[in-house]
Each structure stands twice: as C-alpha cells, then as structure tokens.
Amino acid sequence: MISALIKTMRPRQWTKNGFVFFALMFDKQLFLREPFLRTLAGFALFCLASSAVYLINDIADVEADRKHPEKKHRPIASGKLPLKAAWLAAILLVAVALPGHAPGQRAHQDQVCQHGQRNGAPPAGGAGRDELVAIVVGVHAVA
C-alpha cells in the first residue's frame, strides 16, 4: 500500500516545484546555508501540497478512472490504494503542508518582497504564504 500511495503522490511531478530555487539563483544566495535550507523546506512543503492535490483529484475521479482504459490502473482506481487511506493521506499532507513553516518565515517573506520591490517587482499588496500556496496548488491542479 505504501508504494501505491507514493505512486499516487506523483513524485516525478515534484521537479516543477524546483522553481522556488530560481529566487536564490537570481539573488545570488543559492550557496548560503540559511536561505538554501529555508528554500529547501519550501520546496518540500510544495511537494506535499501538490501530492495532496493529486490524491484528492484521483479520489474525485475514481469512478471515471475505473472506466478509462489507462487510468483504471492507477492505485486508487484499481483498489491498490483504498479510498480511506487516500483520504487520510491527503488530509495529513494538507495538515503538514499548509501550516508548515519555520519560525521567522514571515520576516523572510518580507525580505523577499522588499528585494523584489527594489528590483522592479510590484508591491505584494498583503499577499502571503497562504496565497502563494493556493496559487501553486492551483497550478498543479491545472497541469
């Protein structure tokens, strides 16, 4: 069941979350320990959030997937991953990913926004981590 869960979490798609490292590269902080570790944590949280979306999507589409010639082999549609286990995993992933941030994260977000504004980006207008997570989760749902 663990391998079915991991397959449903679609780790091959996690490479999309690597975009969070671009900010470090452009800001020339990629090789600084603290910013790198903070960004690595953000990458991990995005991976958990996107995996939750994949689980919820497969749960919602289970009946249609069972009738599809290729998708019927997906773990939830085929019964290799029970619906209850998929729901539990999705809830746990959301519970970890959304509130999961390190102490001082808000200060780091403010620094990132200030750096972006100094370099021509528009003001954030109060947009915070939750809005960013919602955008990323939405992008993964569409992708």
Side-chain angles (χ1 to χ4, degrees):
M1 185 165 66
I2 296 296
S3 64
L5 174 61
I6 292 170
K7 184 176 181 180
T8 306
M9 291 171 62
R10 295 181 178 84
R12 68 184 182 282
Q13 300 293 336
W14 293 351
T15 56
K16 296 176 196 174
N17 297 326
F19 78 90
V20 299
F21 290 98
F22 290 155
L24 288 180
M25 290 188 303
F26 292 125
D27 200 25
K28 300 175 185 163
Q29 294 188 22
L30 185 60
F31 299 107
L32 298 179
R33 185 174 191 258
E34 185 178 330
F36 178 79
L37 292 176
R38 196 173 314 139
T39 303
L40 186 62
F43 172 79
L45 292 172
F46 283 140
C47 290
L48 295 177
S50 62
S51 290
V53 170
Y54 290 128
L55 279 162
I56 293 167
N57 181 64
D58 283 1
I59 291 167
D61 294 344
V62 68
E63 292 305 321
D65 287 354
R66 286 181 178 152
K67 297 173 187 172
H68 191 276
E70 293 175 25
K71 293 180 181 181
K72 68 181 179 184
H73 301 292
R74 288 183 175 178
I76 295 174
S78 68
K80 292 177 184 171
L81 181 62
L83 278 173
K84 286 184 181 182
W87 270 117
L88 178 61
I91 290 167
L92 289 173
L93 289 171
V94 169
V96 171
L98 293 184
H101 61 17
Q105 183 69 23
R106 185 68 189 170
H108 174 67
Q109 292 169 355
D110 292 341
Q111 287 175 336
V112 169
C113 289
Q114 289 168 4
H115 174 76
Q117 290 170 9
R118 283 194 308 268
N119 291 291
R129 186 182 142 285
D130 293 337
E131 289 83 359
L132 183 59
V133 169
I135 290 167
V136 170
V137 169
V139 167
H140 275 281
V142 173

